[in-house]
């Protein structure tokens, strides 16, 4: 999910889609290095929130913050890490040409959602750490996250040969923030993996970034997803930072054993 833009002040933001999924108010709070190293404003934001769940992301180097979180009066669930990588646009290693493959804009929100659901079927994210999200279909979440950018014209699809006619076999949704383009979601369908298809998607985003005058591409994934990080390294990306993800749940909502 997109976290590249620094939050100018430490405050929670409503998350309507996640609130609808679990039937409880959910808010998000993202803290980056630009916010400084003090936990005090984070504590204040947590205390001011009336949400049942706060999904907090903060710099992994603030190791001491986890102990502070335990004193906020909420149940604290460690819910994964988010690793960011960066590419200077124009320095990517590209992808070898492959007959029958091409990329193009995908504006059909429903098609993008269905494709994202296929790509991310079985993928585990921070929802799995929280019993309140146990009934959520993670695929539905990825479908929702793909629909918005597609409708806004911020989705690229990778097309390849199909049965009778070409079909979309991968997608990348993006968000532009000044000189940076962030890849929000990217992947190829299971049957096309291991064939260097993913590099074609990265190349398409890099080309799009340069065409608009951008200078860098940013991408992130859960820390456990080492396979895709190897693909980024081969393409030319470099790791730049890690955020920890925790869920801060209102006391009493998670039954004790």
């Amino acid at each position: 999910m997109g976290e590249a833009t620094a939050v100018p002040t430490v405050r929670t933001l409503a998350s309507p889609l996640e609130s609808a999924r679990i039937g409880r108010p959910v808010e998000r709070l993202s803290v980056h290095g630009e916010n400084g190293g003090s936990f005090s404003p984070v504590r204040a934001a947590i205390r001011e929130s009336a949400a049942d769940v706060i999904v907090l992301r903060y710099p992994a180097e603030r190791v001491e913050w986890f102990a502070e979180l335990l004193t906020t009066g909420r149940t604290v669930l460690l819910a994964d890490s988010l690793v960011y990588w960066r590419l200077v646009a124009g320095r990517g290693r590209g992808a070898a040409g492959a007959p029958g493959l091409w990329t193009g804009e995908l504006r059909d929100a429903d098609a993008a959602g269905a494709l994202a659901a296929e790509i991310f079927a079985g993928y585990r994210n921070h929802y799995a750490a929280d019993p309140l999200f146990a009934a959520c279909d993670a695929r539905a979440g990825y479908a929702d996250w793909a629909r918005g950018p597609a409708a806004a014209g911020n989705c690229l699809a990778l097309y390849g040969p199909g049965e009778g006619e070409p079909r979309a076999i991968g997608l990348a949704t993006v968000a532009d923030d000044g000189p940076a383009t962030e890849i929000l979601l990217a992947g190829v369908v299971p049957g096309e993996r291991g064939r260097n298809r993913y590099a074609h998607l990265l190349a398409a985003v890099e080309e799009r970034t340069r065409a608009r005058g951008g200078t860098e591409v940013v991408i992130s994934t859960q820390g456990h997803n080492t396979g895709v990080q190897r693909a980024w390294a081969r393409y030319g990306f470099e790791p730049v930072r890690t955020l920890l993800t925790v869920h801060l749940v209102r006391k009493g909502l998670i039954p004790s054993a």
Side-chain angles (χ1 to χ4, degrees), residues 131-148:
L132 297 181
F133 285 80
C136 291
D137 181 353
R139 292 190 309 163
Y142 285 107
D144 285 340
W145 294 326
R147 288 189 185 101

Side-chain angles (χ1 to χ4, degrees), residues 209-247:
T209 302
R210 297 183 68 190
R212 73 171 187 84
T215 59
E216 66 178 19
V217 182
V218 179
I219 194 168
S220 63
T221 190
Q222 278 74 25
H224 64 77
N225 193 2
T226 55
V228 79
Q229 292 178 66
R230 287 193 292 271
W232 297 345
R234 288 193 298 269
Y235 191 87
F237 284 80
E238 296 181 345
V240 289
R241 63 175 172 165
T242 299
L243 302 182
L244 294 182
T245 302
V246 298
H247 284 203

Side-chain angles (χ1 to χ4, degrees), residues 1 34 50 72-73 78 89 91 101 127 143 206 209-210 216 227 243:
M1 289 357 82
E34 295 85 346
T72 60
L78 181 60
R91 296 185 183 176
L101 288 183
Y127 284 13
E206 183 182 14
T209 302
R210 297 183 68 190
E216 66 178 19
L243 302 182

Side-chain angles (χ1 to χ4, degrees), residues 17 32 42 51 65 85-86 97 99 106 112 118 121 132 144 147 153 161 195 199 201 225 242-244 252:
L17 288 176
H32 303 268
V42 179
W65 281 16
W85 291 61
R86 173 181 175 269
L106 177 61
E118 181 180 0
L132 297 181
D144 285 340
R147 288 189 185 101
R195 304 173 65 184
L201 275 176
N225 193 2
T242 299
L243 302 182
L244 294 182

Side-chain angles (χ1 to χ4, degrees), residues 22 25-27 51-55 74 130 132-133 247-249:
I22 70 169
V26 178
E27 294 181 348
D52 285 348
V53 181
I54 302 172
V55 178
R74 287 177 174 261
D130 192 332
L132 297 181
F133 285 80
H247 284 203
L248 304 173
V249 183

Side-chain angles (χ1 to χ4, degrees), residues 74-210:
R74 287 177 174 261
T75 300
V76 184
L77 303 176
L78 181 60
D80 214 333
S81 58
L82 199 63
V83 184
Y84 279 85
W85 291 61
R86 173 181 175 269
L87 173 75
V88 176
R91 296 185 183 176
R93 299 190 178 100
L101 288 183
W102 76 96
T103 56
E105 190 176 83
L106 177 61
R107 283 185 172 270
D108 185 328
D110 289 337
L115 187 56
E118 181 180 0
I119 291 168
F120 292 98
Y123 186 78
R124 299 174 68 79
N125 63 12
H126 61 99
Y127 284 13
D130 192 332
L132 297 181
F133 285 80
C136 291
D137 181 353
R139 292 190 309 163
Y142 285 107
D144 285 340
W145 294 326
R147 288 189 185 101
N154 293 322
C155 180
L156 297 174
L158 175 66
Y159 295 91
E163 295 182 2
E165 61 181 28
R167 71 184 189 102
I169 60 173
L171 94 166
T173 63
V174 299
D176 299 322
D177 181 19
T181 292
E182 182 175 5
I183 300 177
L184 307 177
L185 292 176
V188 298
V189 297
E192 296 290 337
R193 292 171 187 164
R195 304 173 65 184
N196 206 36
R197 306 306 198 209
Y198 188 73
H200 286 272
L201 275 176
L202 297 178
V205 175
E206 183 182 14
E207 181 180 346
R208 176 189 178 278
T209 302
R210 297 183 68 190

